[in-house]
Amino acid sequence: GDSVTQMEGPVTLSEEAFLTINCTYTATGYPSLFWYVQYPGEGLQLLLKATKADDKGSNKGFEATYRKETTSFHLEKGSVQVSDSAVYFCALSDKGNKLVFGAGTILRVKS
Amino acid sequence: DAGVIQSPRHEVTEMGQEVTLRCKPISGHDYLFWYRQTMMRGLELLIYFNNNVPIDDSGMPEDRFSAKMPNASFSTLKIQPSEPRDSAVYFCASSLRFDQPQHFGDGTRLSIL
């Protein structure tokens, strides 16, 4: 079945450091790919998405490119802030609207 | 827009009691989803509805769990009888159409003693 694999955390960075969170997927079709973010005590919020190969999703300085050849959708940000500390979930939607989530990666940014 | 509203935010109850979690989706959204989040299993889809009709309940763990959507603006997830292993954060989410992103509520943190 469909699955999403994310790099294990926690990822701890200093403010203004470069961020990469790896995400790879397995799907039978051509899924849409998403990054969601969860701040402490809150639900998940959509961060960005890409619906076809080579699409780049971007929002709030975060970017991810849909790479079909490597089945990847890595999240990047050039300069993280303390306020970016959260849990980040990679997800895919293949059949209908069911989302399949990765395990989540905790990001901690120190000032 | 009010967003997805869940209640209660926190629930602590004793094993064997009935628990009812409530969700109000965003107005106009046709899809409603119930998820469970635990440290061990991550985020799991329990059930989802389209236009108030349950479409896929394959994620519901066992018969102790049931979900209803009597109208477009309200859904419940019930656990009866509750067990300590049901302790988790339960999220409700809704989306406008099948190809639109899901909007999550802030969750209900459930503790079964």
Side-chain angles (χ1 to χ4, degrees):
Chain A
D2 297 347
S3 65
V4 175
T5 303
Q6 293 181 231
M7 64 188 289
E8 287 194 25
V11 174
T12 303
L13 296 173
S14 298
E15 212 165 17
E16 299 184 4
F18 185 86
L19 168 71
T20 300
I21 301 178
N22 290 338
C23 170
T24 57
Y25 67 90
T26 302
T28 53
Y30 299 95
S32 294
L33 301 175
F34 307 84
W35 278 101
Y36 280 80
V37 58
Q38 183 180 27
Y39 298 102
E42 298 183 10
L44 280 69
Q45 303 173 25
L46 179 67
L47 182 59
L48 54 84
K49 69 173 184 176
T51 57
K52 62 183 188 296
D54 299 325
D55 269 1
K56 177 186 282 188
S58 61
N59 186 24
K60 300 181 182 179
F62 290 89
E63 293 183 340
T65 301
Y66 190 144
R67 301 286 188 202
K68 185 168 177 288
E69 64 276 12
T70 54
T71 61
S72 65
F73 193 55
H74 304 322
L75 182 68
E76 296 182 336
K77 187 176 185 183
S79 176
V80 293
Q81 305 300 313
V82 173
S83 57
D84 293 326
S85 298
V87 183
Y88 292 82
F89 292 88
C90 186
L92 68 82
S93 175
D94 192 3
K95 299 178 179 59
N97 199 20
K98 285 179 68 169
L99 279 174
V100 175
F101 287 92
T105 301
I106 297 172
L107 171 64
R108 297 182 180 136
V109 181
K110 304 180 298 183
S111 59
Chain B
D1 200 339
V4 176
I5 299 173
Q6 291 187 245
S7 64
R9 288 297 312 274
H10 303 275
E11 174 89 12
V12 181
T13 192
E14 292 188 347
M15 182 175 67
Q17 297 298 307
E18 177 179 289
V19 173
T20 300
L21 310 181
R22 297 173 175 79
C23 175
K24 177 179 168 53
I26 293 173
S27 177
H29 281 196
D30 289 341
Y31 285 79
L32 183 139
F33 306 81
W34 281 102
Y35 291 90
R36 178 171 67 177
Q37 185 178 40
T38 61
M39 290 293 293
M40 291 297 294
R41 300 173 69 90
L43 201 60
E44 305 172 275
L45 176 65
L46 301 177
I47 185 171
Y48 78 94
F49 296 81
N50 178 24
N51 291 323
N52 313 339
V53 176
I55 302 301
D56 186 345
D57 65 354
S58 59
M60 297 285 263
E62 47 197 276
D63 292 345
R64 297 184 298 106
F65 285 70
S66 63
K68 294 182 180 179
M69 193 165 184
N71 57 62
S73 60
F74 184 65
S75 177
T76 59
L77 177 67
K78 283 191 179 180
I79 309 173
Q80 168 63 19
S82 58
E83 297 183 3
R85 60 194 169 116
D86 303 329
S87 299
V89 181
Y90 291 81
F91 288 102
C92 178
S94 69
S95 66
L96 187 61
R97 292 191 308 267
F98 78 93
D99 57 345
Q100 295 296 305
Q102 295 179 22
H103 298 258
F104 283 73
D106 286 340
T108 296
R109 183 173 295 277
L110 177 63
S111 297
I112 308 297
L113 306 177

